[in-house]
């Protein structure tokens, strides 16, 4: 959908601005550490690490910094008590929100997340309340002009789940998390460099958001959650209208 594409563009620009300020780097390094510790230091054998490395590179982190983070994670098998946790909740007007965290203190993290929801007109839900609305996928946005047949030929052996045509005419390749690295390598080998690629949680159904003020409230909650040190990613099923997105830019 065009609206989804436009929201993604805003998110990518925000992420780039955050990266320039160094705001996002600590979260990327934390993910690299834990991914290497849990699955090993070889990205070819560790889909989570491969996705983390790709995300770090997309945010202009140097290869040396990435390697140091991976080495630290791989050399710390006992870990530093960091663990993954996911919180589910509802934003203004019942918009579904799913918050991925990495923490060494669950009590602190859940308190911070609950406070953010309460401050922005939402509420923290119970486990399973919205998770069923989301599915973990890899997604690779192809440059304008790439034909579907070309994308299919390039990725066939890597086994993507599907290739979707977006309203703006560009194609997006959808993969399982495990196949993400293979599919990206296949595209690059065929001379097709994805404009954006990531592994994340994507909604199966969306909640339309047409009111500008409501859109601002939802984005305010997303921003507040993303500002928390323990929060790695925030996902929502909000489907912002073009008018609402224009007002947010």
């Amino acid at each position: 959908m065009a609206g989804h594409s436009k929201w993604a563009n805003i998110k990518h620009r925000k992420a780039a601005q955050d990266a320039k300020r160094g705001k996002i780097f600590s979260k990327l390094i934390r993910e690299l550490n834990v991914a290497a510790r849990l699955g090993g230091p070889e990205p070819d054998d560790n889909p989570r690490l491969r996705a983390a490395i790709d995300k770090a590179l997309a945010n202009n982190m140097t290869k040396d910094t990435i390697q140091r983070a991976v080495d630290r994670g791989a050399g710390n098998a006992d870990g530093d008590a960091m663990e993954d946790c996911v919180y589910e909740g509802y934003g203004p007007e019942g918009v579904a929100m799913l918050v991925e965290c990495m923490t060494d203190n669950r009590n602190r993290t859940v308190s911070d997340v609950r406070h953010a929801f309460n401050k922005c007109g939402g509420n923290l839900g119970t486990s399973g309340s919205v998770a069923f609305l989301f599915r973990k996928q890899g997604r690779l946005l192809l440059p304008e002009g790439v034909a579907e047949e070309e994308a299919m030929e390039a990725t066939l052996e890597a086994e993507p789940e599907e290739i979707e045509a977006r309203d703006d005419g560009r194609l997006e390749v959808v993969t399982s998390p495990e196949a993400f690295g293979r599919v990206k390598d296949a595209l690059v080998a065929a001379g097709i460099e994805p404009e954006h690629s990531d592994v994340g949680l994507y909604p199966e159904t969306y909640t339309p958001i047409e009111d500008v003020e409501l859109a601002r409230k939802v984005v305010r909650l997303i921003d507040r959650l993303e500002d928390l040190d323990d929060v790695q990613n925030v996902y929502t099923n909000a489907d912002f209208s073009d008018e609402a997105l224009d007002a947010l830019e």
Side-chain angles (χ1 to χ4, degrees):
M1 300 288 291
H4 306 155
S5 171
K6 198 168 185 180
W7 169 244
N9 290 337
I10 291 174
K11 292 286 287 180
H12 300 160
R13 186 167 64 250
K14 285 171 79 249
Q17 292 167 350
D18 287 346
K20 289 177 183 177
R21 296 194 300 268
K23 180 179 176 181
I24 200 173
F25 272 39
S26 62
K27 296 185 179 186
L28 293 169
I29 288 172
R30 186 180 296 180
E31 173 63 17
L32 290 163
N33 285 166
V34 174
R37 171 163 57 85
L38 295 178
E42 294 299 328
D44 289 343
D45 302 322
N46 184 345
R48 178 173 176 174
L49 179 59
R50 170 63 191 269
I53 290 173
D54 281 0
K55 189 171 184 178
L57 289 171
N59 282 280
N60 300 315
M61 184 177 287
T62 66
K63 292 182 178 180
D64 285 346
T65 301
I66 291 170
Q67 191 59 54
R68 284 196 298 270
V70 171
D71 290 343
R72 281 199 301 273
N76 187 16
D78 293 333
D80 51 4
M82 297 297 296
E83 59 178 325
D84 294 324
C85 52
V86 178
Y87 297 104
E88 305 170 44
Y90 300 92
E93 299 298 323
V95 171
M97 309 285 290
L98 201 151
V99 187
E100 289 185 332
C101 301
M102 200 171 290
T103 182
D104 57 0
N105 186 328
R106 277 180 176 261
N107 290 334
R108 178 194 67 226
T109 302
V110 70
S111 175
D112 289 346
V113 170
R114 180 181 289 112
H115 183 68
F117 272 103
N118 291 342
K119 274 290 194 180
C120 297
N123 61 283
L124 190 63
T126 57
S127 179
S129 57
V130 302
F132 68 95
L133 296 171
F134 296 83
R135 182 182 174 199
K136 193 150 200 172
Q137 295 176 323
R139 286 182 175 256
L140 304 101
L141 179 62
L142 305 187
E144 186 176 356
V146 176
E148 185 171 359
E149 294 78 8
E150 183 183 1
M152 288 179 62
E153 182 178 350
T155 61
L156 185 61
E157 292 186 5
E159 300 180 335
E161 291 187 353
E162 59 183 318
I163 298 175
E164 296 179 351
R166 304 197 335 176
D167 284 357
D168 61 4
R170 290 182 295 175
L171 300 176
E172 192 167 52
V173 182
V174 182
T175 79
S176 67
E178 295 75 20
F180 172 78
R182 296 198 307 271
V183 172
K184 185 168 186 178
D185 288 344
L187 286 167
V188 172
I192 304 172
E193 185 72 40
E195 290 188 358
H196 177 75
S197 60
D198 197 8
V199 175
L201 289 162
Y202 293 87
E204 301 274 16
T205 59
Y206 291 86
T207 298
I209 302 293
E210 298 183 358
D211 181 75
V212 171
E213 187 54 37
L214 176 56
R216 289 197 178 102
K217 290 179 180 178
V218 173
V219 173
R220 191 177 303 126
L221 173 55
I222 293 172
D223 287 343
R224 194 177 187 101
L225 288 166
E226 289 181 337
D227 280 342
L228 297 176
D229 289 341
D230 294 338
V231 171
Q232 293 293 106
N233 299 294
V234 179
Y235 302 100
T236 177
N237 74 338
D239 180 11
F240 297 93
S241 69
D242 286 341
E243 292 77 11
L245 286 172
D246 287 339
L248 294 174
E249 290 192 86

